[in-house]
Amino acid sequence: MSDVSLPSPPEARTAAVIPAAGRGVRLGPGAPKALRALNGTPMLIHAVRAMAASRAVSLVVVVAPPDGTAEVKTLLDAHALPERTDFVVVPGGDSRQESVKYGLDALPPGFDIVLVHDAARPLVPVDTVDAVIEAVRDGAPAVVPAVPLADTVKEVEPAAVAGESEPVVATPERARLRAVQTPQGFDRATLLRAHETVTEDVTDDASMVERLGVQVVVVPGHEEAFKVTRPLDLVLAEAVLARRRLNDGF
């Protein structure tokens, strides 16, 4: 028997896909949601930096509005981004699902782990990103960060007319519920199979993987990984950035 040790297998490489083609009408009129400014910097840049902050992420694919690819490329060039990370911009589609698929199509070979991250979650901490990647490396085909719910949730019969009262159908057990965040992490082959197989409209990529009958697991999310959807969320995001500047001394 040889006592020569074999080299360790290479660590799986990770890429992040950021769909940023939506307009975000609930934020009000103006630029597409991902290009709205937070502390003077577009949300998209914060989100890109959040992915690139993980040393495991070596490629970030930004899926831009179809008519805004050049603008997004210029935006990325104008802001300081980590040199160890490569950045690619591709045009998106009519839906989030289609945009993510275009981002996946742009990935070169050699990336076995894929993160899908909402541009509207600009403040996700790097520890959350790393926890998702680590869970995929440990063998989970699909991983989502999530937080417990603070509010009691009611299932209702939706009103036929907006604003009318809605009868309660059930009250789910809150302890079993989680609010899901991003980045969601996947084994690349599993995510590709989901996008090639599932045609129904779903709200996130993990739901597509669930439709395949593949187990999705949850890791702890973070309160700062909230989604910026309404004007009040912008105020909260500015407050988080102000606290970070105070804590970091700049």
Side-chain angles (χ1 to χ4, degrees):
M1 176 187 284
S2 172
D3 58 0
V4 177
S5 60
L6 295 173
S8 302
E11 206 165 59
R13 298 176 73 200
T14 301
V17 174
I18 302 180
R23 295 220 50 96
V25 293
R26 282 177 290 180
L27 270 178
K33 179 164 61 174
L35 304 185
R36 300 293 179 96
L38 274 181
N39 191 36
T41 300
M43 269 202 292
L44 175 61
I45 298 299
H46 288 286
V48 168
R49 286 174 175 164
M51 295 300 97
S54 171
R55 293 189 172 273
V57 175
S58 51
L59 172 66
V60 176
V61 177
V62 178
V63 188
D67 58 352
T69 305
E71 181 183 1
V72 170
K73 284 180 180 176
T74 301
L75 202 61
L76 293 180
D77 290 341
H79 290 82
L81 299 171
E83 292 186 4
R84 67 172 183 273
T85 309
D86 292 327
F87 301 94
V88 174
V89 180
V90 298
D94 294 332
S95 67
R96 182 187 186 280
Q97 207 164 316
E98 193 175 20
S99 291
V100 172
K101 180 62 166 63
Y102 290 164
L104 291 175
D105 291 344
L107 293 180
F111 290 92
D112 298 317
I113 297 175
V114 181
L115 305 179
V116 180
H117 183 58
D118 294 333
R121 297 184 191 271
L123 304 179
V124 58
V126 68
D127 288 351
T128 302
V129 180
D130 287 339
V132 171
I133 295 169
E134 193 61 35
V136 180
R137 281 183 177 162
D138 287 345
V143 180
V144 298
V147 293
L149 297 182
D151 299 319
T152 296
V153 174
K154 301 288 185 185
E155 182 183 352
V156 302
E157 187 66 43
V161 179
E164 288 189 353
S165 60
E166 299 174 319
V168 171
V169 175
T171 303
E173 186 182 344
R174 189 172 65 185
R176 296 175 61 88
L177 301 177
R178 298 291 181 269
V180 173
Q181 303 174 326
T182 69
Q184 299 184 354
F186 304 90
D187 165 74
R188 179 179 181 170
T190 300
L191 185 57
L192 283 173
R193 183 158 63 95
H195 274 271
E196 289 164 357
T197 306
V198 178
T199 56
E200 306 98 298
D201 192 27
V202 294
T203 55
D204 70 349
D205 295 271
S207 297
M208 299 178 72
V209 172
E210 288 174 50
R211 300 285 175 92
L212 299 179
V214 173
Q215 177 72 69
V216 177
V217 300
V218 169
V219 297
H222 196 280
E223 61 182 3
E224 292 181 2
F226 62 89
K227 192 172 188 178
V228 177
T229 304
R230 297 176 175 85
L232 184 60
D233 299 324
L234 286 170
V235 176
L236 180 57
E238 292 280 6
V240 170
L241 285 172
R243 187 179 66 183
R244 287 183 181 181
R245 287 196 303 274
L246 188 64
N247 291 343
D248 295 341
F250 64 86

PDB file of all heavy atoms in Angstrom, residues 61-101:
ATOM      1  N   VAL A  61     -23.607  36.956 -12.236  1.00  0.00           N
ATOM      2  CA  VAL A  61     -24.317  37.237 -13.484  1.00  0.00           C
ATOM      3  C   VAL A  61     -25.514  38.115 -13.145  1.00  0.00           C
ATOM      4  O   VAL A  61     -26.402  37.707 -12.390  1.00  0.00           O
ATOM      5  CB  VAL A  61     -24.792  35.944 -14.174  1.00  0.00           C
ATOM      6  CG1 VAL A  61     -25.595  36.284 -15.428  1.00  0.00           C
ATOM      7  CG2 VAL A  61     -23.609  35.060 -14.514  1.00  0.00           C
ATOM      8  N   VAL A  62     -25.542  39.318 -13.678  1.00  0.00           N
ATOM      9  CA  VAL A  62     -26.651  40.240 -13.466  1.00  0.00           C
ATOM     10  C   VAL A  62     -27.574  40.173 -14.682  1.00  0.00           C
ATOM     11  O   VAL A  62     -27.119  40.353 -15.821  1.00  0.00           O
ATOM     12  CB  VAL A  62     -26.158  41.682 -13.258  1.00  0.00           C
ATOM     13  CG1 VAL A  62     -27.339  42.628 -13.087  1.00  0.00           C
ATOM     14  CG2 VAL A  62     -25.230  41.766 -12.054  1.00  0.00           C
ATOM     15  N   VAL A  63     -28.845  39.900 -14.438  1.00  0.00           N
ATOM     16  CA  VAL A  63     -29.821  39.836 -15.524  1.00  0.00           C
ATOM     17  C   VAL A  63     -30.560  41.168 -15.551  1.00  0.00           C
ATOM     18  O   VAL A  63     -31.360  41.473 -14.667  1.00  0.00           O
ATOM     19  CB  VAL A  63     -30.788  38.661 -15.327  1.00  0.00           C
ATOM     20  CG1 VAL A  63     -31.661  38.508 -16.576  1.00  0.00           C
ATOM     21  CG2 VAL A  63     -30.025  37.368 -15.062  1.00  0.00           C
ATOM     22  N   ALA A  64     -30.273  41.968 -16.562  1.00  0.00           N
ATOM     23  CA  ALA A  64     -30.745  43.350 -16.637  1.00  0.00           C
ATOM     24  C   ALA A  64     -32.067  43.447 -17.395  1.00  0.00           C
ATOM     25  O   ALA A  64     -32.463  42.510 -18.100  1.00  0.00           O
ATOM     26  CB  ALA A  64     -29.688  44.202 -17.342  1.00  0.00           C
ATOM     27  N   PRO A  65     -32.761  44.598 -17.255  1.00  0.00           N
ATOM     28  CA  PRO A  65     -33.921  44.827 -18.127  1.00  0.00           C
ATOM     29  C   PRO A  65     -33.475  44.699 -19.585  1.00  0.00           C
ATOM     30  O   PRO A  65     -32.355  45.115 -19.932  1.00  0.00           O
ATOM     31  CB  PRO A  65     -34.326  46.272 -17.796  1.00  0.00           C
ATOM     32  CG  PRO A  65     -33.817  46.495 -16.400  1.00  0.00           C
ATOM     33  CD  PRO A  65     -32.539  45.717 -16.319  1.00  0.00           C
ATOM     34  N   PRO A  66     -34.323  44.121 -20.457  1.00  0.00           N
ATOM     35  CA  PRO A  66     -33.913  43.899 -21.849  1.00  0.00           C
ATOM     36  C   PRO A  66     -33.381  45.145 -22.543  1.00  0.00           C
ATOM     37  O   PRO A  66     -32.468  45.064 -23.373  1.00  0.00           O
ATOM     38  CB  PRO A  66     -35.201  43.394 -22.523  1.00  0.00           C
ATOM     39  CG  PRO A  66     -35.982  42.781 -21.404  1.00  0.00           C
ATOM     40  CD  PRO A  66     -35.679  43.602 -20.187  1.00  0.00           C
ATOM     41  N   ASP A  67     -33.949  46.306 -22.191  1.00  0.00           N
ATOM     42  CA  ASP A  67     -33.496  47.538 -22.837  1.00  0.00           C
ATOM     43  C   ASP A  67     -32.488  48.303 -21.970  1.00  0.00           C
ATOM     44  O   ASP A  67     -32.153  49.447 -22.266  1.00  0.00           O
ATOM     45  CB  ASP A  67     -34.688  48.449 -23.140  1.00  0.00           C
ATOM     46  CG  ASP A  67     -35.483  48.800 -21.882  1.00  0.00           C
ATOM     47  OD1 ASP A  67     -35.200  48.218 -20.817  1.00  0.00           O
ATOM     48  OD2 ASP A  67     -36.378  49.663 -21.959  1.00  0.00           O
ATOM     49  N   GLY A  68     -31.998  47.663 -20.908  1.00  0.00           N
ATOM     50  CA  GLY A  68     -31.105  48.370 -19.988  1.00  0.00           C
ATOM     51  C   GLY A  68     -29.770  47.692 -19.766  1.00  0.00           C
ATOM     52  O   GLY A  68     -29.060  48.005 -18.800  1.00  0.00           O
ATOM     53  N   THR A  69     -29.397  46.768 -20.650  1.00  0.00           N
ATOM     54  CA  THR A  69     -28.147  46.020 -20.462  1.00  0.00           C
ATOM     55  C   THR A  69     -26.936  46.943 -20.452  1.00  0.00           C
ATOM     56  O   THR A  69     -26.060  46.842 -19.581  1.00  0.00           O
ATOM     57  CB  THR A  69     -27.995  44.954 -21.570  1.00  0.00           C
ATOM     58  OG1 THR A  69     -29.156  44.128 -21.585  1.00  0.00           O
ATOM     59  CG2 THR A  69     -26.776  44.082 -21.322  1.00  0.00           C
ATOM     60  N   ALA A  70     -26.871  47.858 -21.407  1.00  0.00           N
ATOM     61  CA  ALA A  70     -25.734  48.776 -21.497  1.00  0.00           C
ATOM     62  C   ALA A  70     -25.660  49.657 -20.251  1.00  0.00           C
ATOM     63  O   ALA A  70     -24.570  49.910 -19.713  1.00  0.00           O
ATOM     64  CB  ALA A  70     -25.838  49.636 -22.757  1.00  0.00           C
ATOM     65  N   GLU A  71     -26.830  50.113 -19.772  1.00  0.00           N
ATOM     66  CA  GLU A  71     -26.863  50.964 -18.581  1.00  0.00           C
ATOM     67  C   GLU A  71     -26.325  50.220 -17.360  1.00  0.00           C
ATOM     68  O   GLU A  71     -25.554  50.771 -16.567  1.00  0.00           O
ATOM     69  CB  GLU A  71     -28.300  51.423 -18.320  1.00  0.00           C
ATOM     70  CG  GLU A  71     -28.442  52.335 -17.098  1.00  0.00           C
ATOM     71  CD  GLU A  71     -29.893  52.708 -16.819  1.00  0.00           C
ATOM     72  OE1 GLU A  71     -30.783  52.241 -17.551  1.00  0.00           O
ATOM     73  OE2 GLU A  71     -30.126  53.462 -15.848  1.00  0.00           O
ATOM     74  N   VAL A  72     -26.724  48.962 -17.212  1.00  0.00           N
ATOM     75  CA  VAL A  72     -26.268  48.172 -16.060  1.00  0.00           C
ATOM     76  C   VAL A  72     -24.767  47.894 -16.164  1.00  0.00           C
ATOM     77  O   VAL A  72     -24.046  47.957 -15.159  1.00  0.00           O
ATOM     78  CB  VAL A  72     -27.081  46.868 -15.939  1.00  0.00           C
ATOM     79  CG1 VAL A  72     -26.458  45.936 -14.899  1.00  0.00           C
ATOM     80  CG2 VAL A  72     -28.522  47.192 -15.561  1.00  0.00           C
ATOM     81  N   LYS A  73     -24.275  47.605 -17.360  1.00  0.00           N
ATOM     82  CA  LYS A  73     -22.828  47.400 -17.537  1.00  0.00           C
ATOM     83  C   LYS A  73     -22.060  48.653 -17.137  1.00  0.00           C
ATOM     84  O   LYS A  73     -21.032  48.586 -16.445  1.00  0.00           O
ATOM     85  CB  LYS A  73     -22.521  47.046 -19.000  1.00  0.00           C
ATOM     86  CG  LYS A  73     -22.870  45.623 -19.379  1.00  0.00           C
ATOM     87  CD  LYS A  73     -22.518  45.366 -20.842  1.00  0.00           C
ATOM     88  CE  LYS A  73     -22.855  43.940 -21.248  1.00  0.00           C
ATOM     89  NZ  LYS A  73     -22.609  43.693 -22.693  1.00  0.00           N
ATOM     90  N   THR A  74     -22.549  49.803 -17.558  1.00  0.00           N
ATOM     91  CA  THR A  74     -21.912  51.073 -17.202  1.00  0.00           C
ATOM     92  C   THR A  74     -21.934  51.278 -15.694  1.00  0.00           C
ATOM     93  O   THR A  74     -20.958  51.744 -15.094  1.00  0.00           O
ATOM     94  CB  THR A  74     -22.623  52.243 -17.909  1.00  0.00           C
ATOM     95  OG1 THR A  74     -22.559  52.051 -19.326  1.00  0.00           O
ATOM     96  CG2 THR A  74     -21.985  53.572 -17.554  1.00  0.00           C
ATOM     97  N   LEU A  75     -23.048  50.912 -15.082  1.00  0.00           N
ATOM     98  CA  LEU A  75     -23.209  51.044 -13.634  1.00  0.00           C
ATOM     99  C   LEU A  75     -22.171  50.203 -12.889  1.00  0.00           C
ATOM    100  O   LEU A  75     -21.527  50.672 -11.943  1.00  0.00           O
ATOM    101  CB  LEU A  75     -24.622  50.603 -13.258  1.00  0.00           C
ATOM    102  CG  LEU A  75     -25.224  51.105 -11.952  1.00  0.00           C
ATOM    103  CD1 LEU A  75     -25.324  52.629 -11.970  1.00  0.00           C
ATOM    104  CD2 LEU A  75     -26.602  50.491 -11.764  1.00  0.00           C
ATOM    105  N   LEU A  76     -22.009  48.955 -13.316  1.00  0.00           N
ATOM    106  CA  LEU A  76     -21.040  48.075 -12.664  1.00  0.00           C
ATOM    107  C   LEU A  76     -19.621  48.610 -12.840  1.00  0.00           C
ATOM    108  O   LEU A  76     -18.800  48.561 -11.913  1.00  0.00           O
ATOM    109  CB  LEU A  76     -21.136  46.658 -13.226  1.00  0.00           C
ATOM    110  CG  LEU A  76     -22.429  45.884 -12.940  1.00  0.00           C
ATOM    111  CD1 LEU A  76     -22.369  44.496 -13.558  1.00  0.00           C
ATOM    112  CD2 LEU A  76     -22.686  45.766 -11.448  1.00  0.00           C
ATOM    113  N   ASP A  77     -19.332  49.130 -14.024  1.00  0.00           N
ATOM    114  CA  ASP A  77     -17.994  49.678 -14.285  1.00  0.00           C
ATOM    115  C   ASP A  77     -17.709  50.908 -13.433  1.00  0.00           C
ATOM    116  O   ASP A  77     -16.563  51.204 -13.111  1.00  0.00           O
ATOM    117  CB  ASP A  77     -17.849  50.044 -15.770  1.00  0.00           C
ATOM    118  CG  ASP A  77     -17.786  48.819 -16.671  1.00  0.00           C
ATOM    119  OD1 ASP A  77     -17.494  47.721 -16.149  1.00  0.00           O
ATOM    120  OD2 ASP A  77     -18.063  48.957 -17.875  1.00  0.00           O
ATOM    121  N   ALA A  78     -18.763  51.626 -13.068  1.00  0.00           N
ATOM    122  CA  ALA A  78     -18.586  52.898 -12.353  1.00  0.00           C
ATOM    123  C   ALA A  78     -18.407  52.722 -10.849  1.00  0.00           C
ATOM    124  O   ALA A  78     -18.061  53.687 -10.156  1.00  0.00           O
ATOM    125  CB  ALA A  78     -19.789  53.806 -12.621  1.00  0.00           C
ATOM    126  N   HIS A  79     -18.644  51.511 -10.332  1.00  0.00           N
ATOM    127  CA  HIS A  79     -18.540  51.293  -8.896  1.00  0.00           C
ATOM    128  C   HIS A  79     -17.441  50.286  -8.571  1.00  0.00           C
ATOM    129  O   HIS A  79     -17.216  49.336  -9.321  1.00  0.00           O
ATOM    130  CB  HIS A  79     -19.879  50.796  -8.339  1.00  0.00           C
ATOM    131  CG  HIS A  79     -20.949  51.844  -8.340  1.00  0.00           C
ATOM    132  ND1 HIS A  79     -21.693  52.142  -9.465  1.00  0.00           N
ATOM    133  CD2 HIS A  79     -21.389  52.684  -7.369  1.00  0.00           C
ATOM    134  CE1 HIS A  79     -22.547  53.106  -9.179  1.00  0.00           C
ATOM    135  NE2 HIS A  79     -22.386  53.452  -7.922  1.00  0.00           N
ATOM    136  N   ALA A  80     -16.800  50.506  -7.447  1.00  0.00           N
ATOM    137  CA  ALA A  80     -15.712  49.630  -7.016  1.00  0.00           C
ATOM    138  C   ALA A  80     -16.280  48.269  -6.620  1.00  0.00           C
ATOM    139  O   ALA A  80     -17.106  48.169  -5.711  1.00  0.00           O
ATOM    140  CB  ALA A  80     -14.968  50.257  -5.842  1.00  0.00           C
ATOM    141  N   LEU A  81     -15.835  47.232  -7.314  1.00  0.00           N
ATOM    142  CA  LEU A  81     -16.261  45.870  -7.033  1.00  0.00           C
ATOM    143  C   LEU A  81     -15.019  45.005  -6.834  1.00  0.00           C
ATOM    144  O   LEU A  81     -13.960  45.310  -7.382  1.00  0.00           O
ATOM    145  CB  LEU A  81     -17.108  45.324  -8.182  1.00  0.00           C
ATOM    146  CG  LEU A  81     -18.402  46.091  -8.489  1.00  0.00           C
ATOM    147  CD1 LEU A  81     -19.036  45.590  -9.773  1.00  0.00           C
ATOM    148  CD2 LEU A  81     -19.382  45.962  -7.322  1.00  0.00           C
ATOM    149  N   PRO A  82     -15.118  43.930  -6.059  1.00  0.00           N
ATOM    150  CA  PRO A  82     -13.939  43.094  -5.796  1.00  0.00           C
ATOM    151  C   PRO A  82     -13.302  42.564  -7.071  1.00  0.00           C
ATOM    152  O   PRO A  82     -13.996  42.024  -7.945  1.00  0.00           O
ATOM    153  CB  PRO A  82     -14.512  41.949  -4.949  1.00  0.00           C
ATOM    154  CG  PRO A  82     -15.744  42.515  -4.321  1.00  0.00           C
ATOM    155  CD  PRO A  82     -16.308  43.456  -5.333  1.00  0.00           C
ATOM    156  N   GLU A  83     -11.989  42.697  -7.167  1.00  0.00           N
ATOM    157  CA  GLU A  83     -11.280  42.273  -8.383  1.00  0.00           C
ATOM    158  C   GLU A  83     -11.224  40.759  -8.526  1.00  0.00           C
ATOM    159  O   GLU A  83     -11.047  40.237  -9.622  1.00  0.00           O
ATOM    160  CB  GLU A  83      -9.859  42.854  -8.386  1.00  0.00           C
ATOM    161  CG  GLU A  83      -9.821  44.365  -8.556  1.00  0.00           C
ATOM    162  CD  GLU A  83      -8.413  44.894  -8.701  1.00  0.00           C
ATOM    163  OE1 GLU A  83      -7.475  44.073  -8.746  1.00  0.00           O
ATOM    164  OE2 GLU A  83      -8.245  46.124  -8.776  1.00  0.00           O
ATOM    165  N   ARG A  84     -11.400  40.030  -7.419  1.00  0.00           N
ATOM    166  CA  ARG A  84     -11.318  38.565  -7.501  1.00  0.00           C
ATOM    167  C   ARG A  84     -12.582  37.956  -8.121  1.00  0.00           C
ATOM    168  O   ARG A  84     -12.616  36.758  -8.417  1.00  0.00           O
ATOM    169  CB  ARG A  84     -11.108  37.973  -6.102  1.00  0.00           C
ATOM    170  CG  ARG A  84     -12.291  38.157  -5.176  1.00  0.00           C
ATOM    171  CD  ARG A  84     -12.152  37.401  -3.858  1.00  0.00           C
ATOM    172  NE  ARG A  84     -13.361  37.562  -3.050  1.00  0.00           N
ATOM    173  CZ  ARG A  84     -13.572  38.551  -2.218  1.00  0.00           C
ATOM    174  NH1 ARG A  84     -12.653  39.477  -2.060  1.00  0.00           N
ATOM    175  NH2 ARG A  84     -14.696  38.625  -1.535  1.00  0.00           N
ATOM    176  N   THR A  85     -13.625  38.781  -8.298  1.00  0.00           N
ATOM    177  CA  THR A  85     -14.911  38.295  -8.809  1.00  0.00           C
ATOM    178  C   THR A  85     -15.128  38.781 -10.230  1.00  0.00           C
ATOM    179  O   THR A  85     -14.860  39.942 -10.552  1.00  0.00           O
ATOM    180  CB  THR A  85     -16.063  38.792  -7.910  1.00  0.00           C
ATOM    181  OG1 THR A  85     -15.765  38.485  -6.550  1.00  0.00           O
ATOM    182  CG2 THR A  85     -17.367  38.132  -8.300  1.00  0.00           C
ATOM    183  N   ASP A  86     -15.610  37.890 -11.090  1.00  0.00           N
ATOM    184  CA  ASP A  86     -15.972  38.268 -12.457  1.00  0.00           C
ATOM    185  C   ASP A  86     -17.452  38.670 -12.495  1.00  0.00           C
ATOM    186  O   ASP A  86     -18.266  38.122 -11.748  1.00  0.00           O
ATOM    187  CB  ASP A  86     -15.742  37.103 -13.422  1.00  0.00           C
ATOM    188  CG  ASP A  86     -14.264  36.788 -13.587  1.00  0.00           C
ATOM    189  OD1 ASP A  86     -13.444  37.721 -13.532  1.00  0.00           O
ATOM    190  OD2 ASP A  86     -13.934  35.589 -13.742  1.00  0.00           O
ATOM    191  N   PHE A  87     -17.769  39.605 -13.387  1.00  0.00           N
ATOM    192  CA  PHE A  87     -19.143  40.097 -13.492  1.00  0.00           C
ATOM    193  C   PHE A  87     -19.583  40.054 -14.959  1.00  0.00           C
ATOM    194  O   PHE A  87     -18.847  40.463 -15.848  1.00  0.00           O
ATOM    195  CB  PHE A  87     -19.239  41.526 -12.961  1.00  0.00           C
ATOM    196  CG  PHE A  87     -18.819  41.648 -11.512  1.00  0.00           C
ATOM    197  CD1 PHE A  87     -17.517  41.986 -11.188  1.00  0.00           C
ATOM    198  CD2 PHE A  87     -19.711  41.385 -10.496  1.00  0.00           C
ATOM    199  CE1 PHE A  87     -17.109  42.069  -9.870  1.00  0.00           C
ATOM    200  CE2 PHE A  87     -19.321  41.465  -9.172  1.00  0.00           C
ATOM    201  CZ  PHE A  87     -18.020  41.811  -8.850  1.00  0.00           C
ATOM    202  N   VAL A  88     -20.800  39.549 -15.169  1.00  0.00           N
ATOM    203  CA  VAL A  88     -21.363  39.440 -16.512  1.00  0.00           C
ATOM    204  C   VAL A  88     -22.774  40.018 -16.466  1.00  0.00           C
ATOM    205  O   VAL A  88     -23.494  39.824 -15.486  1.00  0.00           O
ATOM    206  CB  VAL A  88     -21.414  37.963 -16.972  1.00  0.00           C
ATOM    207  CG1 VAL A  88     -22.133  37.836 -18.303  1.00  0.00           C
ATOM    208  CG2 VAL A  88     -20.012  37.378 -17.066  1.00  0.00           C
ATOM    209  N   VAL A  89     -23.177  40.732 -17.523  1.00  0.00           N
ATOM    210  CA  VAL A  89     -24.528  41.280 -17.625  1.00  0.00           C
ATOM    211  C   VAL A  89     -25.201  40.685 -18.858  1.00  0.00           C
ATOM    212  O   VAL A  89     -24.619  40.687 -19.951  1.00  0.00           O
ATOM    213  CB  VAL A  89     -24.508  42.819 -17.733  1.00  0.00           C
ATOM    214  CG1 VAL A  89     -25.935  43.360 -17.834  1.00  0.00           C
ATOM    215  CG2 VAL A  89     -23.785  43.434 -16.537  1.00  0.00           C
ATOM    216  N   VAL A  90     -26.415  40.153 -18.670  1.00  0.00           N
ATOM    217  CA  VAL A  90     -27.180  39.598 -19.793  1.00  0.00           C
ATOM    218  C   VAL A  90     -28.589  40.181 -19.749  1.00  0.00           C
ATOM    219  O   VAL A  90     -29.078  40.562 -18.683  1.00  0.00           O
ATOM    220  CB  VAL A  90     -27.241  38.059 -19.744  1.00  0.00           C
ATOM    221  CG1 VAL A  90     -25.859  37.462 -19.855  1.00  0.00           C
ATOM    222  CG2 VAL A  90     -27.937  37.572 -18.470  1.00  0.00           C
ATOM    223  N   PRO A  91     -29.262  40.277 -20.893  1.00  0.00           N
ATOM    224  CA  PRO A  91     -30.638  40.788 -20.899  1.00  0.00           C
ATOM    225  C   PRO A  91     -31.606  39.764 -20.324  1.00  0.00           C
ATOM    226  O   PRO A  91     -31.428  38.551 -20.510  1.00  0.00           O
ATOM    227  CB  PRO A  91     -30.922  41.055 -22.380  1.00  0.00           C
ATOM    228  CG  PRO A  91     -29.971  40.171 -23.117  1.00  0.00           C
ATOM    229  CD  PRO A  91     -28.755  40.030 -22.256  1.00  0.00           C
ATOM    230  N   GLY A  92     -32.643  40.272 -19.634  1.00  0.00           N
ATOM    231  CA  GLY A  92     -33.638  39.405 -19.014  1.00  0.00           C
ATOM    232  C   GLY A  92     -34.833  39.158 -19.894  1.00  0.00           C
ATOM    233  O   GLY A  92     -34.872  39.557 -21.064  1.00  0.00           O
ATOM    234  N   GLY A  93     -35.840  38.501 -19.313  1.00  0.00           N
ATOM    235  CA  GLY A  93     -37.049  38.160 -20.054  1.00  0.00           C
ATOM    236  C   GLY A  93     -38.266  38.867 -19.487  1.00  0.00           C
ATOM    237  O   GLY A  93     -38.157  39.839 -18.736  1.00  0.00           O
ATOM    238  N   ASP A  94     -39.440  38.342 -19.819  1.00  0.00           N
ATOM    239  CA  ASP A  94     -40.700  38.964 -19.407  1.00  0.00           C
ATOM    240  C   ASP A  94     -41.076  38.619 -17.975  1.00  0.00           C
ATOM    241  O   ASP A  94     -41.888  39.314 -17.359  1.00  0.00           O
ATOM    242  CB  ASP A  94     -41.828  38.521 -20.346  1.00  0.00           C
ATOM    243  CG  ASP A  94     -41.633  39.044 -21.765  1.00  0.00           C
ATOM    244  OD1 ASP A  94     -41.005  40.112 -21.908  1.00  0.00           O
ATOM    245  OD2 ASP A  94     -42.095  38.382 -22.703  1.00  0.00           O
ATOM    246  N   SER A  95     -40.517  37.545 -17.437  1.00  0.00           N
ATOM    247  CA  SER A  95     -40.830  37.130 -16.071  1.00  0.00           C
ATOM    248  C   SER A  95     -39.539  36.868 -15.311  1.00  0.00           C
ATOM    249  O   SER A  95     -38.466  36.699 -15.913  1.00  0.00           O
ATOM    250  CB  SER A  95     -41.678  35.849 -16.079  1.00  0.00           C
ATOM    251  OG  SER A  95     -40.912  34.757 -16.571  1.00  0.00           O
ATOM    252  N   ARG A  96     -39.639  36.827 -13.982  1.00  0.00           N
ATOM    253  CA  ARG A  96     -38.470  36.510 -13.168  1.00  0.00           C
ATOM    254  C   ARG A  96     -37.927  35.132 -13.528  1.00  0.00           C
ATOM    255  O   ARG A  96     -36.715  34.939 -13.643  1.00  0.00           O
ATOM    256  CB  ARG A  96     -38.853  36.562 -11.687  1.00  0.00           C
ATOM    257  CG  ARG A  96     -37.678  36.285 -10.740  1.00  0.00           C
ATOM    258  CD  ARG A  96     -38.130  36.180  -9.296  1.00  0.00           C
ATOM    259  NE  ARG A  96     -37.004  36.069  -8.385  1.00  0.00           N
ATOM    260  CZ  ARG A  96     -36.333  34.957  -8.156  1.00  0.00           C
ATOM    261  NH1 ARG A  96     -36.678  33.835  -8.790  1.00  0.00           N
ATOM    262  NH2 ARG A  96     -35.317  34.934  -7.305  1.00  0.00           N
ATOM    263  N   GLN A  97     -38.850  34.179 -13.711  1.00  0.00           N
ATOM    264  CA  GLN A  97     -38.467  32.809 -14.045  1.00  0.00           C
ATOM    265  C   GLN A  97     -37.643  32.769 -15.323  1.00  0.00           C
ATOM    266  O   GLN A  97     -36.600  32.109 -15.400  1.00  0.00           O
ATOM    267  CB  GLN A  97     -39.745  31.982 -14.209  1.00  0.00           C
ATOM    268  CG  GLN A  97     -39.586  30.506 -13.914  1.00  0.00           C
ATOM    269  CD  GLN A  97     -40.945  29.853 -13.711  1.00  0.00           C
ATOM    270  OE1 GLN A  97     -41.801  30.397 -13.027  1.00  0.00           O
ATOM    271  NE2 GLN A  97     -41.140  28.706 -14.300  1.00  0.00           N
ATOM    272  N   GLU A  98     -38.105  33.496 -16.330  1.00  0.00           N
ATOM    273  CA  GLU A  98     -37.413  33.535 -17.610  1.00  0.00           C
ATOM    274  C   GLU A  98     -36.055  34.222 -17.456  1.00  0.00           C
ATOM    275  O   GLU A  98     -35.054  33.784 -18.035  1.00  0.00           O
ATOM    276  CB  GLU A  98     -38.269  34.278 -18.632  1.00  0.00           C
ATOM    277  CG  GLU A  98     -37.803  34.118 -20.063  1.00  0.00           C
ATOM    278  CD  GLU A  98     -38.747  34.770 -21.064  1.00  0.00           C
ATOM    279  OE1 GLU A  98     -39.542  35.656 -20.665  1.00  0.00           O
ATOM    280  OE2 GLU A  98     -38.676  34.399 -22.240  1.00  0.00           O
ATOM    281  N   SER A  99     -36.003  35.276 -16.640  1.00  0.00           N
ATOM    282  CA  SER A  99     -34.746  35.989 -16.441  1.00  0.00           C
ATOM    283  C   SER A  99     -33.702  35.112 -15.755  1.00  0.00           C
ATOM    284  O   SER A  99     -32.522  35.124 -16.124  1.00  0.00           O
ATOM    285  CB  SER A  99     -34.991  37.260 -15.615  1.00  0.00           C
ATOM    286  OG  SER A  99     -35.734  38.200 -16.361  1.00  0.00           O
ATOM    287  N   VAL A 100     -34.136  34.357 -14.741  1.00  0.00           N
ATOM    288  CA  VAL A 100     -33.193  33.451 -14.075  1.00  0.00           C
ATOM    289  C   VAL A 100     -32.656  32.422 -15.067  1.00  0.00           C
ATOM    290  O   VAL A 100     -31.458  32.118 -15.076  1.00  0.00           O
ATOM    291  CB  VAL A 100     -33.865  32.748 -12.872  1.00  0.00           C
ATOM    292  CG1 VAL A 100     -32.942  31.663 -12.298  1.00  0.00           C
ATOM    293  CG2 VAL A 100     -34.196  33.763 -11.782  1.00  0.00           C
ATOM    294  N   LYS A 101     -33.539  31.901 -15.923  1.00  0.00           N
ATOM    295  CA  LYS A 101     -33.100  30.915 -16.928  1.00  0.00           C
ATOM    296  C   LYS A 101     -32.057  31.528 -17.854  1.00  0.00           C
ATOM    297  O   LYS A 101     -31.047  30.874 -18.190  1.00  0.00           O
ATOM    298  CB  LYS A 101     -34.303  30.429 -17.733  1.00  0.00           C
ATOM    299  CG  LYS A 101     -33.960  29.399 -18.814  1.00  0.00           C
ATOM    300  CD  LYS A 101     -33.385  28.131 -18.211  1.00  0.00           C
ATOM    301  CE  LYS A 101     -33.357  26.975 -19.210  1.00  0.00           C
ATOM    302  NZ  LYS A 101     -32.487  27.217 -20.371  1.00  0.00           N
TER     303      LYS A 101
END
